[in-house]
Amino acid sequence: MSPRTHTPSPAPGPSPPPPALAILGPILGFFASRGRTPFEFQLQAWNAYLAGASGLVHAPTGMGKTLAVWLGPVAEYLASATRPTAPPAHRDSAEPLRLLWLTPMRALAADTARALAETVAELGLPFTVESRTGDTSQALRARQKQRLPTVLITTPESLTLLLSYPDARDRLGTLRCVVCDEWHELLSSKRGVQTELALARLRRWNPGLRTWGLSATLGNLDQALDALVPSPAPGAPAPVLIQGKAEKRIDVETILPDDIERFPWAGHLGTRLVEKVAARIDGARSTLLFTNTRSQAELWHRALALARPQWLTAQGGLALHHGSLDRDLRSAVEAGIRDGSLRCVVCTSSLDLGVDFSPVDQVIQVGSPKGVARLMQRAGRSGHQPGAVSRVLCVPTMALELIEFAAARDTLASRAVEPRTPLDKPLDVLVQHLVTIGLGGGFTETDLFDEIRTSRAYRHLSPTEFRWALDFAVRGGPALNAYPQYQRLATDEGRYAVRSAAVARLHRLAVGTITADTSVKVQYLSGGVLGHIEESFIARLSPGDAFVFAGKTLELVRFREMTALVRKSSRRSGLVPKWGGGKTPLSTLLAHAVRRRVDDARDGRFDTPEMAAVRPILQLQAAWSRLPDPDELLIEHTRTREGTHVYLYPFEGRAVHEGLASLLAHRLAAGAPRSVAATANDYGVELLSPTPLPDQPDAWRALLTTDNLLADLLRCLNSNELARRKFRDVARVAGLVFSGYPGAPRSTRQLQASSELFFDVFLEHDPANLLLDQARREVLEEQLEVARLRALLTTLARARLTLIRTDHLTPLAFPIYAERLRTQHVSSEKFADRITRIIAQLEADAPPP
C-alpha cells in the first residue's frame, strides 16, 4: 500500500461490537494479511459509518485517517449480497458513483486517487477511481460527462461546476458519501462556504448522504464538525467526533547564528545560515525545506545551488516546488519525493498537505512559522507513519524569530492548536450559488432558502438578505437593472433559472472563490512553460532584464498577450518576484506564547538554546527601557530628527497591530492638526509625527478605548481605501467583474478599474447594497481583525501603562523602525547600507554585550 494509506503497526485494542464484526471481516482480514491491527479510532469510524453516521476524524499526520474514512464505504459495499466477485472488464461495467472525495488542492487529488486505486486493486473491487480538477484532461472530462467513476476525487470548484448542469441530480443520484479531506484548510475560507452550500444541495437530493471530514491540526473541533454536518437528516445518528489518541512526538531544533545582532530587522539574517543548512542537508537522505513565501523559496533554492553546485548536476539532487510553477514541473518533483531520488526540495505551503512523503526524514522550516498548526503540519511531513518521531529544524531569518521558535516548542508540548473560525453568510458567495443552482435545473425561492439555511454559514440568513441576493442575481439591484448582462436569473411561474447561454458560459468560467492578482505565463522562446508570475511584477521589467524564477536566472525577451517569453540568462543574479500574501501574521496562540517567553527573560530565565542566544538583545532592551510584565503595556517615547516616535508593544501579532496602528493614527490626527505615520510588526506599533505626540500614560489610555471603535475604523477605511480594494475580490466572486477567458485573462489594472466603477456607482445610486457592507466587514474582520482588536483594547483598559522616554531606538523598536524605512525608502543609499550605518551608531552608544 502507498504510505498515503499507511496502516498502523500491531497494537492492542478492543474488538468492534459483534454486529459489525461480520461486516468488517474482509477489512480486518485485509489488515491481518499484512500483520497489522487497526487503531481504535479507525474501528470507531468504520462502525459509525456502517451505522449511518457522519463525522469528523481528527488524528496526527501519518496515523491512517484516510483508511479510517475510506474503508467504511468499502466495508459497506463488501457486505452487499449482490456485489460482483471480480474487477470490471470495462469502465462502463464498474459500480456507479458512490463516493465523492473533496480536496483543497489539486496536487492532493492525484495523490489520493493513486492511494485509493491501490486499495481497490488489492481488494479486487469493481470500482473506478478518477480525479476531476483543473488539471484533468479534456478526454477524461468527456468520458466523465457520459459516466462518472465510482470514486471521484475533486475540488470544491469542480463540484460546483458539476452542480451547474441540469442533469446534476441524475448524475449524482447514486452518491452515498462525501469526504472532505484537510477540512481545516477549507473551514475558515469562502471555499469552505462554497463546500457547505454544495453539501446542502447534495443532502437535499439524498437525505441519507453521509459526510466525513479529515484533519490533523484543528483547535475548535466541535465547531468544525458543526460546519461539516450542521443539520443531520431526521432519524439519522448524531454526527460523531472521532480522535486518534496517539500523540505524535515532534522534536524542534534550531540552527543558531554565530553572531547575534542586538538591533535585528526583518530578514537581516537572509541566507547567511545557508552553509549550516547545507551541512544538515548533506547529513540526511532527503529533506523538505519549507519557506513561508514563494519569493523566499526562490532565494533559498538559489542560495543552496550556489553553496552546493554539485546538487544541480547530480541526478535529482535539488528541486523547487511552489504553486506558481507549471503543473508538469510540480508533478515531477512530487514523483521524486515519493521515490526518494531527491536530496532536497525547497518548497512552500504547496507541499504542506497530504502528498505521500514517506521517504522524507528531515524537515527544515526557514523563518518563523507564525502559527503552531503550520509548524505541526510541516513537521509531520517527516516521520510520516505511526510511532515515528517527526523532526523539524528551524532556521531564523531574523534574531527575534528565535523567541518564536522557543515559544512554538512550548505550545507543541502543550498540544494546543489554533482554531479555524468558519465564515458567516458571505453574500458574494450566495449570489454566485444562486446563479449556479439556476443553471443546474432552477429553483423556487422558498425551497432554496430553506436548503441554504441548513448550512452553518447561512443558518442565520434572514429572508430580507436572501431576497436582496435574489434580486441582485435577477436584475442587478436598483443600480444595474438597466443592463441586461446583470439580469442573470429569470423567473417563470415562481421558478428561477438561467435562460441566457452567454450568462451560462461566463458564469461557469468564473465559478470559484479564489481571488488573486492576474498571473502571466512564463514560457521559453522554444515553447516550454515554467509557470506563472503576477502581472504586477513582470510589468515592471523591460526586455533584457534578468529575474529568478523556477530556480533559474531568466532574461525577459518580450511580454505579449499575458505571456512573458524568456530565455536562460548567463547572469548569476536577477530580480526575485514578489507574490501577494507574504506577511503572515503571528497567531494569537503563538503570540501569547512569545509573551510568556519574554516574561521568562524578564525574570532571568533563558533556559533554551534559542533564549540563550537572544539574551544580549533582551538584556539591552531591559537596560535602555524594560521588558514588560504580562499585565503591562510598555510605551516608548523617542525623539529623532524625523520627529516624535511612540512605540507600543501589545505582542498580539501583525494583523491586529495594523488595525491598532490605523486606529491610533486616526484618533491622534482627529484630536489635533497633525500628520501621523503608522507602522506595525508582530510585536508592536510605531507612530511617528513631526509634531509632539502625547507623553503621559493617561493620554494614551484615553486613546486606547473601545468607544466608537467601529465608527473610527470605518473612517480609517474611507481614508485609505482598503474597502475599495477589497471590493475587487467581492465583485469577482459575485460575478460583477469577469476575470477573462482561459489563456486571455484581464489585467489586474482592468479588474481594479472595473470594480472601482461598481463601488462608486453603488455608493451613489445603491448605498444600501449589501456587497458594500460585506467589503467593509471583510476588511474589519480579515485585515484589521476587529474582534481581536476589541479584545486587546478591553485587556489594555485593565493593564498598567508604563511610558518610558528613551534616548535611543531600543532593540524591540528597531525592527518596526526598519520596516517603515523599507516601505518608504526613496534615498539613493541602499536600504541595507543605511540600516547598517544606523546600527553602528546605536552600537557605539550601547554597553558591551
Side-chain angles (χ1 to χ4, degrees):
M1 286 184 295
S2 162
R4 170 69 175 158
T5 57
H6 189 92
T7 51
S9 301
S15 299
L21 190 59
I23 299 177
L24 290 178
I27 301 301
L28 298 176
F30 174 69
F31 272 67
S33 67
R34 287 152 182 79
R36 303 180 186 278
T37 302
F39 277 133
E40 172 64 17
F41 82 90
Q42 292 174 318
L43 293 169
Q44 290 174 357
W46 300 336
N47 285 329
Y49 181 87
L50 294 172
S54 298
L56 174 65
V57 175
H58 187 265
T61 299
M63 292 294 293
K65 295 187 297 295
T66 300
L67 288 178
V69 297
W70 163 230
L71 293 183
V74 169
E76 180 184 56
Y77 174 76
L78 290 174
S80 64
T82 58
R83 67 179 180 88
T85 57
H90 188 270
R91 181 179 185 276
D92 291 343
S93 62
E95 283 291 305
L97 179 69
R98 297 178 68 92
L99 178 66
L100 195 63
W101 192 288
L102 295 181
T103 173
M105 297 177 65
R106 287 182 288 181
L108 293 185
D111 198 68
T112 301
R114 184 182 303 107
L116 302 189
E118 287 178 5
T119 308
V120 166
E122 291 181 39
L123 289 172
L125 300 173
F127 288 6
T128 48
V129 180
E130 296 171 359
S131 62
R132 183 185 180 92
T133 70
D135 295 329
T136 303
S137 68
Q138 290 300 320
L140 182 54
R141 285 173 183 270
R143 291 199 299 272
Q144 291 174 351
K145 191 171 184 179
Q146 299 301 317
R147 179 185 173 91
L148 289 172
T150 314
V151 180
L152 179 64
I153 298 106
T154 190
T155 60
E157 294 77 18
S158 291
L159 172 58
T160 301
L161 278 174
L162 283 175
L163 295 179
S164 75
Y165 291 95
D167 62 350
R169 184 167 190 171
D170 292 335
R171 300 180 70 199
L172 299 171
T174 57
L175 190 62
R176 304 180 69 85
C177 178
V178 178
V179 174
C180 296
D181 204 353
E182 307 290 358
W183 178 233
H184 59 276
E185 284 296 314
L186 294 172
L187 181 61
S188 58
S189 69
K190 289 184 181 179
R191 297 182 80 205
V193 175
Q194 184 181 22
T195 302
E196 289 186 52
L197 289 171
L199 290 173
R201 170 110 297 211
L202 294 175
R203 293 186 189 113
R204 184 67 173 258
W205 291 342
N206 181 359
L209 184 73
R210 281 155 285 185
T211 308
W212 283 82
L214 298 176
S215 180
T217 52
L218 258 178
N220 52 331
L221 293 175
D222 290 339
Q223 198 173 36
L225 177 60
D226 185 43
L228 185 69
V229 195
S231 306
V240 294
L241 174 61
I242 295 174
Q243 299 190 65
K245 299 301 183 183
E247 292 188 351
K248 185 77 168 179
R249 179 181 160 190
I250 299 176
D251 286 349
V252 179
E253 181 187 352
T254 303
I255 290 183
L256 303 177
D258 292 329
D259 299 305
I260 289 289
E261 293 183 3
R262 292 191 291 178
F263 297 94
W265 46 278
H268 74 279
L269 291 176
T271 56
R272 285 190 221 171
L273 298 175
V274 67
E275 186 55 45
K276 290 189 175 187
V277 171
R280 296 298 292 265
I281 295 172
D282 275 329
R285 291 174 303 163
S286 57
T287 298
L288 290 180
L289 186 148
F290 283 101
T291 67
N292 292 338
T293 68
R294 285 166 281 183
S295 303
Q296 203 174 34
E298 294 278 356
L299 286 169
W300 271 86
H301 181 272
R302 181 166 185 77
L304 287 170
L306 292 174
R308 297 290 190 275
Q310 66 271 25
W311 288 355
L312 291 179
T313 57
Q315 182 65 33
L318 178 66
L320 179 66
H321 190 290
H322 60 68
S324 291
L325 299 181
D326 184 67
R327 172 69 261 171
D328 290 341
L329 295 178
R330 285 181 281 141
S331 296
V333 173
E334 291 160 17
I337 296 172
R338 290 188 197 95
D339 62 28
S341 63
L342 289 172
R343 176 187 294 272
C344 176
V345 176
V346 182
C347 54
T348 63
S349 56
S350 59
L351 287 184
D352 270 4
L353 304 177
V355 180
D356 187 345
F357 291 119
S358 186
V360 174
D361 58 358
Q362 178 176 250
V363 166
I364 298 177
Q365 167 66 39
V366 172
S368 167
K370 300 300 180 184
V372 178
R374 173 180 281 190
L375 186 62
M376 183 184 297
Q377 186 83 45
R378 292 179 172 181
R381 302 299 97 202
S382 69
H384 194 70
Q385 54 187 344
V389 177
S390 293
R391 293 181 172 85
V392 59
L393 180 66
C394 297
V395 182
T397 60
M398 74 169 296
L400 291 179
E401 287 181 340
L402 293 169
I403 305 175
E404 296 177 37
F405 291 141
R409 183 190 292 111
D410 296 340
T411 313
L412 284 172
S414 70
R415 300 293 164 184
V417 184
E418 291 90 357
R420 303 286 185 102
T421 305
L423 301 187
D424 184 43
K425 56 183 180 184
L427 295 181
D428 54 346
V429 183
L430 177 59
V431 169
Q432 184 183 112
H433 186 68
L434 293 176
V435 180
T436 297
I437 303 306
L439 275 172
F443 61 89
T444 63
E445 178 179 341
T446 300
D447 285 348
L448 190 59
F449 176 68
D450 291 342
E451 175 186 311
I452 287 170
R453 292 244 305 181
T454 64
S455 69
R456 186 195 186 281
Y458 296 97
R459 64 173 49 161
H460 300 304
L461 182 73
S462 70
T464 300
E465 290 168 323
F466 180 79
R467 291 192 191 101
W468 179 90
L470 183 59
D471 177 70
F472 193 77
V474 169
R475 66 186 187 103
L480 303 176
N481 60 0
Y483 301 93
Q485 63 266 40
Y486 302 112
Q487 298 169 13
R488 290 172 282 178
L489 292 177
T491 180
D492 183 12
E493 296 183 354
R495 188 165 188 84
Y496 293 86
V498 174
R499 310 294 184 194
S500 166
V503 168
R505 182 172 60 254
L506 293 179
H507 180 79
R508 290 192 176 110
L509 287 171
V511 157
T513 62
I514 300 175
T515 56
D517 281 349
T518 304
S519 58
V520 170
K521 182 166 64 176
V522 181
Q523 180 177 319
Y524 283 127
L525 282 171
S526 57
V529 176
L530 291 170
H532 293 79
I533 288 180
E534 287 182 4
E535 180 200 19
S536 56
F537 171 79
I538 211 75
R540 297 198 303 268
L541 303 181
S542 300
D545 286 350
F547 65 99
V548 176
F549 181 66
K552 302 172 176 61
T553 303
L554 306 171
E555 178 186 319
L556 178 65
V557 178
R558 62 179 176 270
F559 175 32
R560 182 178 301 167
E561 296 179 350
M562 304 306 289
T563 299
L565 293 173
V566 301
R567 57 178 163 234
K568 288 186 178 179
S569 173
S570 59
R571 280 175 271 187
R572 290 174 59 85
S573 62
L575 296 172
V576 176
K578 291 189 181 298
W579 287 267
K583 293 182 177 178
T584 304
L586 205 63
S587 73
T588 303
L589 186 66
L590 191 53
H592 290 174
V594 167
R595 185 66 183 259
R596 289 192 293 272
R597 273 293 170 185
V598 171
D599 189 42
D600 288 344
R602 185 182 57 79
D603 292 337
R605 290 194 298 273
F606 298 90
D607 55 356
T608 69
E610 296 89 355
M611 294 304 296
V614 297
R615 186 170 188 161
I617 298 174
L618 299 181
Q619 285 182 329
L620 182 57
Q621 172 68 31
W624 277 6
S625 175
R626 67 180 279 110
L627 294 172
D629 293 343
D631 60 350
E632 174 186 25
L633 175 65
L634 172 63
I635 304 173
E636 292 176 350
H637 194 282
T638 308
R639 292 281 302 173
T640 71
R641 287 180 299 176
E642 294 178 280
T644 304
H645 306 253
V646 173
Y647 296 92
L648 301 91
Y649 303 103
F651 290 90
E652 282 290 330
R654 177 187 294 273
V656 70
H657 288 169
E658 287 178 347
L660 178 65
S662 297
L663 177 70
L664 291 177
H666 168 75
R667 288 176 172 175
L668 285 167
R674 58 163 68 98
S675 62
V676 181
T679 309
N681 73 358
D682 279 318
Y683 299 153
V685 305
E686 178 200 60
L687 300 166
L688 169 63
S689 178
T691 57
L693 292 174
D695 61 356
Q696 296 298 322
D698 288 346
W700 286 101
R701 189 174 297 281
L703 292 166
L704 294 165
T705 175
T706 58
D707 293 346
N708 301 313
L709 175 60
L710 288 180
D712 286 347
L713 282 174
L714 288 174
R715 291 190 187 99
C716 296
L717 299 182
N718 289 337
S719 62
N720 60 26
E721 295 197 338
L722 285 175
R724 187 181 297 272
R725 292 201 298 272
K726 172 58 70 174
F727 188 75
R728 184 182 74 190
D729 295 341
V730 173
R732 278 169 135 177
V733 174
L736 290 173
V737 176
F738 180 55
S739 300
Y741 292 96
R746 298 179 68 197
S747 71
T748 302
R749 182 175 298 178
Q750 289 173 316
L751 293 173
Q752 185 64 43
S754 297
S755 66
E756 286 187 0
L757 178 62
F758 282 111
F759 190 89
D760 293 337
V761 167
F762 291 154
L763 276 180
E764 183 174 354
H765 300 289
D766 187 13
N769 191 296
L770 296 184
L771 295 182
L772 295 177
D773 289 339
Q774 183 180 326
R776 298 185 185 104
R777 190 177 77 225
E778 287 186 10
V779 170
L780 292 173
E781 293 175 353
E782 297 171 17
Q783 292 180 247
L784 302 181
E785 297 209 26
V786 67
R788 281 180 68 183
L789 178 55
R790 185 183 294 277
L792 171 62
L793 292 173
T794 301
T795 299
L796 294 180
R798 302 187 298 268
R800 184 174 74 259
L801 305 189
T802 301
L803 192 146
I804 296 179
R805 295 172 183 84
T806 62
D807 296 327
H808 307 86
L809 295 171
T810 66
L812 287 181
F814 189 78
I816 318 176
Y817 174 85
E819 181 84 8
R820 177 176 52 79
L821 288 189
R822 188 199 301 272
T823 58
Q824 300 176 356
H825 188 64
V826 293
S827 166
S828 59
E829 182 182 17
K830 286 185 178 179
F831 169 73
D833 292 343
R834 185 177 180 188
I835 288 293
T836 301
R837 178 172 53 82
I838 296 171
I839 290 175
Q841 294 170 351
L842 290 170
E843 281 287 0
D845 293 332

